[in-house]
Amino acid sequence: MSDLPQGLHAFIESAGWGEAAIEPIPGDASFRRYFRLRRADGSTAMLMHAPPPEEDPSEFLRVGAWLCEQSMRAPKILATDQPAGWVLIEDFGNDRMREWLDDNPQDELTAYEAAIDALVALHQCPAGPFSPYDMQAYLREVALFTEWYCPAQSLDVDVAGYEVAWQKALSPLVERQSQPVTVLRDYHAENIMLLGSRPSAPQGLIDFQDALVGHPAYDLVSLLQDARRDVSLELEEAMLARYIDATAADEEFRADYARLGAQRNAKIVGIFTRLFRRDGKTRYLAMIPRVWAAMERDLAHSGLKPVADWFAANIPDDLRRSGGGTIS
């Protein structure tokens, strides 16, 4: 394989996997690359390359170690070379929740119930030693919408008013947040592994290196307003109710869920536009209408009125009705 990263063979040799076959695994939206190592005896491991300077595996290792300490199912670390970006980890297999449900749609309810229960377990743990998911972080993220999507549509919008609208909408959430939890930030069907090939099996967690400490509704939004997979309104409501019942969340939780739904979805529209325009990754364009539809539903909540008013004044109706329009 001539396109293997430099240093791969030396690292796996030092880790005791030098004779293993190397199988490339499709990657994600980052610079990271993944490979499955397979020994002659059938044992396997996953090799992640997070090449510097674009990537740094230190946070993946730190968050993963914390999750394991909390009895959450993050992969065990087998070997590392942090300066070079190499990490050898436990292989969770091929059964991502997304592909499993594509092939076994009858298992959808059971799989989502297990995913909700895993979040409940995580939120019963003390918050991790991670940076806060605060107003500054929220505003920095939603700015991706005006930085990337609006220029892509040649829209001259009120950027200052956009930030003010979000501050007004999110202030009640930030001021009231008294029991923060660890937020994985990308907890969705493509980042959940079904260990044991059963929809009710323990949830294997991956892609958690950006964890922060923030509001418990955020990862619910990631899961139930999934950018990459259709989740019916009925299933979303049932799973939101399951979480609220299990945690005795207060009466404002649904409002906060809508606030963070709109915040996350506005961010994702900006990110997906950037992935296309800057990085040439076309596959994300097809996901924007799904994200946009969820964002519009969130904006209908009374807690989002300042942001909804900004959208009404700055984003043309034809773009909103078409799920964001065509981006070129």
Side-chain angles (χ1 to χ4, degrees):
M1 298 182 187
S2 59
D3 63 341
L4 294 180
Q6 184 177 1
L8 183 152
H9 289 288
F11 173 71
I12 65 173
E13 183 71 33
S14 68
W17 288 74
E19 300 303 315
I22 303 168
E23 305 170 6
I25 302 295
D28 54 19
S30 70
F31 290 92
R32 293 186 297 271
R33 296 183 65 186
Y34 300 87
F35 306 87
R36 174 170 281 117
L37 305 185
R38 191 181 302 275
R39 286 173 166 160
D41 64 2
S43 59
T44 63
M46 292 297 295
L47 176 62
M48 178 176 73
H49 188 215
E54 294 86 1
E55 297 282 348
D56 178 356
S58 59
E59 284 302 294
F60 175 87
L61 296 172
R62 187 169 79 100
V63 178
W66 182 85
L67 288 168
C68 289
E69 289 171 1
Q70 308 306 313
S71 300
M72 301 302 296
R73 198 64 175 89
K76 299 173 183 176
I77 306 300
L78 306 179
T80 67
D81 180 352
Q82 287 192 50
W86 294 107
V87 181
L88 188 65
I89 63 176
E90 175 186 5
D91 185 5
F92 276 171
N94 293 319
D95 290 325
R96 288 198 309 181
M97 181 173 164
R98 166 64 187 270
E99 286 78 12
W100 178 272
L101 294 181
D102 285 347
D103 295 335
N104 302 277
Q106 73 279 0
D107 292 334
E108 183 178 59
L109 179 61
T110 302
Y112 274 90
E113 287 176 341
I116 291 294
D117 294 347
L119 267 190
V120 171
L122 176 62
H123 295 171
Q124 291 172 343
C125 302
F130 314 126
S131 299
Y133 211 166
D134 53 17
M135 180 67 81
Q136 183 179 5
Y138 291 140
L139 296 179
R140 184 172 60 249
E141 291 180 346
V142 294
L144 293 167
F145 181 86
T146 52
E147 289 171 4
W148 288 95
Y149 172 79
C150 293
Q153 297 290 15
S154 300
L155 297 176
D156 182 13
V157 299
D158 177 11
V159 175
Y162 181 74
E163 180 172 315
V164 170
W166 279 109
Q167 286 178 321
K168 290 179 179 178
L170 294 172
S171 287
L173 177 151
V174 173
E175 293 168 0
R176 195 176 54 254
Q177 186 169 294
S178 59
Q179 293 183 311
V181 301
T182 296
V183 180
L184 302 179
R185 298 180 74 193
D186 273 313
Y187 186 70
H188 54 73
E190 291 192 3
N191 284 337
I192 296 172
M193 306 299 296
L194 303 184
L195 308 183
S197 298
R198 301 187 312 278
S200 59
Q203 302 284 339
L205 304 176
I206 60 174
D207 202 10
F208 43 69
Q209 61 278 349
D210 295 324
L212 295 174
V213 172
H215 197 287
Y218 190 90
D219 281 342
L220 276 176
V221 169
S222 301
L223 178 69
L224 301 179
Q225 296 186 6
D226 195 330
R228 295 163 175 81
R229 181 179 189 276
D230 289 329
V231 177
S232 71
L233 296 180
E234 294 77 14
L235 181 61
E236 179 182 6
E237 171 56 31
M239 294 302 99
L240 180 56
R242 183 181 182 90
Y243 179 89
I244 290 173
D245 289 345
T247 59
D250 64 33
E251 60 184 16
E252 285 296 313
F253 190 85
R254 287 179 179 272
D256 290 345
Y257 176 86
R259 291 183 177 103
L260 292 180
Q263 188 273 345
R264 175 175 169 82
N265 290 319
K267 173 184 72 171
I268 291 176
V269 171
I271 289 174
F272 284 0
T273 304
R274 182 178 66 185
L275 284 169
F276 169 63
R277 289 178 66 87
R278 187 190 70 183
D279 304 330
K281 296 183 177 182
T282 59
R283 66 181 290 256
Y284 296 94
L285 292 181
M287 303 177 194
I288 288 178
R290 178 187 294 117
V291 178
W292 195 284
M295 182 172 66
E296 292 283 1
R297 294 196 302 273
D298 293 323
L299 290 176
H301 193 283
S302 60
L304 273 299
K305 187 179 187 305
V307 181
D309 288 346
W310 184 92
F311 268 75
N314 288 269
I315 307 300
D317 287 344
D318 61 332
L319 291 181
R320 298 183 67 175
R321 289 193 300 268
S322 63
T326 301
I327 298 172
S328 58

